[in-house]
Amino acid sequence: MKKLFNGRFSTLYSVLSLYVFLSFIIRIVLMIWSLKDLDFNLLHILRAFFTGFVFDFTIGCLFLSLYIIYVLVLPKRWVGSLFDKCFTYFYLTLIFIIIYFSLLAEIPFWDEFGVRFNFIAVDYLIYTYEVIENINQSYPLPLIGAVLVGLIILTFVSFKKVNVFKKTFSDKSSFRTRFLYAFPVLAIAVFLGFLMKNKIADFSNNSVVNELGKNGAFSFVAAFRSNELDYETFYPKLPEKEAYSIVKKNLLQENQKYTTSKYDDISRFTLGNQEQKPNIILIAIESFSADFLTEFGNKDHITPNYDQLSKESVFFTNLYATGTRTVRGMEALTLSVPPTPGNSIVRRPDNENLFSVSSIVQSKNYHPYFIYGGDGYFDNMNTFFGGQGFDIVDRDRGNPLPDNIKTQRFSITDQEVSFENAWGICDEDLYKQSIKYADKSTKDNKPFFQFVMTTSNHKPYTFPAGKIDLPQGDRNAAVKYTDYALGKFIEAAKTKPWFKNTVFVIVADHCASSAGKWEINIHNHHIPAIIYNLPHQQERIDRLTSQIDLMPTLFGYLGWSYTTSLYGKDINQTKQGDERAFLGNYRTLGMLKGNVFTQIDDRKVVKQFSVSSDRSLSEIKTKNNTDISQTISYYQTASVRFKNGKMKAK
């Protein structure tokens, strides 16, 4: 062992040892960080740490593979030369930047998402403006940069002090000797690089244990390589006709009938009564957990306006978001579809002209708008909404719409902005855009449907000064400002002639946090929703409801007759006992029905859990096969229908 650190390869093995050691320290830090959600099973924890060590060693070898080849093939007469030293120091500087940055970045990522780097981190590489600005506004970048530089300098000084470089640049061993040291590391790197998969770490029901067994850099690469997941390849399936038969049986409401007898056609005609056609403003509030409301036990009184509106509205108290990201909320509210595996449909190619809520409102002669305070290029929003016929209102930072998108785009000018951060303009300014285009549609004598996406309740949690009594930079403060802006918007809307004939659907896109003990944490999908200003008395809906059911339920209140291919249902036309909610997190998919949660994943593993009153889970050994078949049928048909183009509007 001593020979490894006393020759030409001393730098190589020193860096590899340092990386494995630091990764172990980070693993300890993350474990302590999540003690409240950790399953204290000693064997599972030891297995996670061993698996993590193998991942650390693998990625460490891969980091250094180019340097291994360099040390192996460099002629011994060049050892210790200026070229040798320059290349070594340059390569090590790059490696240390990658190592220290990735290890340090894991801590805030874990804090926000409760997992190692995943597809979210990969997505952030695409949208550099928002991400860099968010980091700049959320963290002290000069200090982080200084720490990074300091760590690199300290490492070089330490290596020099223990003569690591002296040994590297003085040992002129033969090619045969170098080969004996280099080949095993290269062989192990290649072998483990192909063998190791993140799925190996997913051996328990505890999400924290599973994530501890992974490596952040390896997880990032794995997410980059598998940014799409094909349902038919990776997930449990039923025979196609059986899957459609189950879905069609469960989709049909008491006021619906199928339009054809084709086994794979889910189009239904919905019979309404006394149809009304008010304007519709759908507000998706960023990261607005049910926990923020007084109704659900919050004692901080940070949502007085939403609390009051809920008492004057149809209030959904038991509604669950399909996912943990904005694009999933958008997908649920517009396409009314379960969260299929991999990327949200909002971010996928060939997602234009899908049957959506927009298809239904446009059939009623509504003018649809998508209103967003940032640049809708982010997360492919403009392409998606434009592809469904929405006119776009956004900040427009110079990213053009694709040529195949024929809708109009209206830019929010600098003169219309009083405050802006990395993600977009403040909610007050955004709501002024909503009023502006509501006025325009009213002037044109055209009913309007607006999808308004807020951003103020997002890190860095900044907003205009002097609006509320809490300091900026804090989640509670951002929630209170978000609620304040909503209250001001409703006040302003009440002064408009179109207010009396306008319905407001106000719902969260997802919860503020997704971290927790289980692969899917049901409590962290619980969101509030209200339908305000209906010509209907105030009502509480305590029945289990999915985010995909919200718009079909609205159409039911409006008495609309229409044809639908949506997976969502009008909760008021759903039989008692048939309520269900769909929850997913990219790889793992589930259905909540009653007090049973059925979960499927990309290893074709099916699990069922009993759900307690506080939404904690305990695995069931005797499975409910009816729920399993229903879960599989929904996700299988939704995935296949998008893949094969059957979600397209006819």
Side-chain angles (χ1 to χ4, degrees), residues 3-4 8-9 12-13 68-69 71-73 171 173-188:
K3 289 183 178 180
L4 295 177
R8 178 65 172 152
F9 288 83
L12 168 69
Y13 288 110
I68 297 171
I69 295 171
V71 172
L72 174 63
V73 302
D171 181 16
S173 53
S174 66
F175 178 83
R176 181 176 178 277
T177 302
R178 297 199 305 272
F179 182 81
L180 292 176
Y181 283 106
F183 179 75
V185 180
L186 278 175
I188 291 172

Side-chain angles (χ1 to χ4, degrees), residues 88-377:
T88 298
Y89 291 143
F90 175 74
Y91 189 85
L92 291 183
T93 299
L94 290 179
I95 290 298
F96 287 145
I97 290 172
I98 294 171
I99 287 174
Y100 285 123
F101 181 80
S102 64
L103 291 175
L104 291 173
E106 280 204 69
I107 295 174
F109 194 87
W110 183 279
D111 179 45
E112 184 164 358
F113 300 106
V115 294
R116 300 283 192 170
F117 293 136
N118 59 11
F119 68 98
I120 298 175
V122 174
D123 290 347
Y124 280 177
L125 287 181
I126 301 171
Y127 306 107
T128 52
Y129 175 85
E130 287 83 359
V131 173
I132 292 173
E133 284 298 305
N134 183 43
I135 293 172
N136 186 41
Q137 294 171 17
S138 301
Y139 303 101
L141 278 188
L143 177 60
I144 292 173
V147 169
L148 196 60
V149 171
L151 286 171
I152 293 171
I153 293 173
L154 179 63
T155 306
F156 273 111
V157 170
S158 300
F159 276 21
K160 187 172 183 179
K161 192 171 183 179
V162 295
N163 296 322
V164 169
F165 296 126
K166 181 179 180 180
K167 297 165 186 174
T168 297
F169 297 134
S170 61
D171 181 16
K172 299 186 178 183
S173 53
S174 66
F175 178 83
R176 181 176 178 277
T177 302
R178 297 199 305 272
F179 182 81
L180 292 176
Y181 283 106
F183 179 75
V185 180
L186 278 175
I188 291 172
V190 173
F191 176 72
L192 291 179
F194 282 104
L195 176 68
M196 296 300 289
K197 308 291 182 186
N198 257 359
K199 296 177 185 178
I200 294 173
D202 295 328
F203 61 86
S204 81
N205 286 332
N206 186 260
S207 177
V208 175
V209 170
N210 293 344
E211 293 298 322
L212 287 175
K214 298 175 184 177
N215 171 282
F218 191 98
S219 295
F220 180 87
V221 174
F224 184 83
R225 292 172 59 189
S226 60
N227 218 14
E228 293 291 342
L229 286 173
D230 181 69
Y231 186 94
E232 293 180 290
T233 302
F234 295 105
Y235 289 82
K237 294 187 298 181
L238 296 171
E240 185 176 358
K241 287 189 176 181
E242 181 183 350
Y244 273 105
S245 175
I246 294 170
V247 162
K248 292 181 73 170
K249 179 182 177 182
N250 282 281
L251 282 180
L252 199 65
Q253 298 172 183
E254 295 181 355
N255 63 335
Q256 290 180 333
K257 62 180 180 180
Y258 283 102
T259 57
T260 73
S261 59
K262 295 178 181 177
Y263 79 89
D264 59 351
D265 186 355
I266 66 169
S267 298
R268 294 98 66 204
F269 176 74
T270 307
L271 180 64
N273 183 34
Q274 297 181 334
E275 184 166 298
Q276 307 162 55
K277 290 178 60 178
N279 305 306
I280 303 169
I281 297 179
L282 168 58
I283 301 171
I285 301 180
E286 172 69 42
S287 305
F288 198 63
S289 304
D291 284 348
F292 295 141
L293 272 61
T294 303
E295 169 70 26
F296 302 108
N298 191 291
K299 305 297 184 184
D300 295 325
H301 303 291
I302 51 178
T303 58
N305 292 296
Y306 201 100
D307 290 339
Q308 181 58 41
L309 289 172
S310 69
K311 297 173 183 176
E312 304 167 10
S313 307
V314 176
F315 183 22
F316 296 81
T317 64
N318 197 19
L319 185 139
Y320 290 84
T322 60
T324 59
R325 296 198 66 203
T326 294
V327 285
R328 282 298 186 192
M330 291 175 166
E331 175 188 85
L333 294 168
T334 54
L335 299 181
S336 194
V337 65
T340 52
N343 263 326
S344 164
I345 291 172
V346 173
R347 300 192 70 250
R348 295 187 200 175
D350 194 27
N351 65 2
E352 72 278 358
N353 194 34
L354 303 176
F355 188 89
S356 66
V357 167
S358 179
S359 307
I360 296 170
V361 299
Q362 286 186 83
S363 73
K364 302 291 184 183
N365 202 34
Y366 279 69
H367 187 159
Y369 285 97
F370 171 59
I371 303 176
Y372 177 60
D375 189 327
Y377 169 77

Side-chain angles (χ1 to χ4, degrees), residues 408-420:
Q408 289 184 283
R409 185 182 191 183
F410 303 97
S411 298
I412 302 170
T413 65
D414 291 345
Q415 291 71 32
E416 296 175 294
V417 177
S418 66
F419 182 90
E420 186 171 19

Side-chain angles (χ1 to χ4, degrees), residues 320 523 595 610-617:
Y320 290 84
H523 177 73
N595 66 341
S610 174
V611 184
S612 67
S613 58
D614 65 354
R615 294 316 193 208
S616 60
L617 306 179

